[in-house]
Amino acid sequence: MISVLSGWLIETTIGILVIGILSFFVGKKPISQKKVEELEFLIRTKAITFSWIGLMMTLAFSAFGNLFDPELSNYSRWDPIFYIGLSLILYMISYFINKRKYS
């Protein structure tokens, strides 16, 4: 159980780092006050995109680790719930990052 939790902690950290790196390299465009609705749509779109990229990178690193060290790969029945929760956490983090960037 401890190895599963430590694996989840590592995967969560990887996902959050990917979101931080993406938000650092993606610039912002100046938007006029008339386009407030478009701004909210842009923020949500970028948040969804960043959360999916973060989740896919997390899954890729997890698969890469399991490929080269199969002894440490522990599968839990809670893994699907963990990945759903991770995607929601990554969405919220990237939404707040983009909201602050474009406000």
Side-chain angles (χ1 to χ4, degrees), residues 85-98:
L86 179 63
S87 65
L88 291 174
I89 290 169
L90 292 176
Y91 174 78
M92 287 186 288
I93 290 171
S94 59
Y95 180 81
F96 288 124
I97 288 173
N98 287 317

Side-chain angles (χ1 to χ4, degrees), residues 24-36:
F24 180 73
F25 285 114
V26 175
K28 65 177 184 176
K29 296 178 183 177
I31 296 177
S32 66
Q33 291 294 337
K34 294 191 294 185
K35 298 185 177 185
V36 173

Side-chain angles (χ1 to χ4, degrees), residues 1-4 6 8 66 69-76 79:
M1 181 68 175
I2 293 175
S3 62
V4 171
S6 65
W8 287 355
N66 291 341
D69 198 2
E71 294 176 0
L72 293 178
S73 64
N74 293 328
Y75 295 104
S76 171
D79 280 346

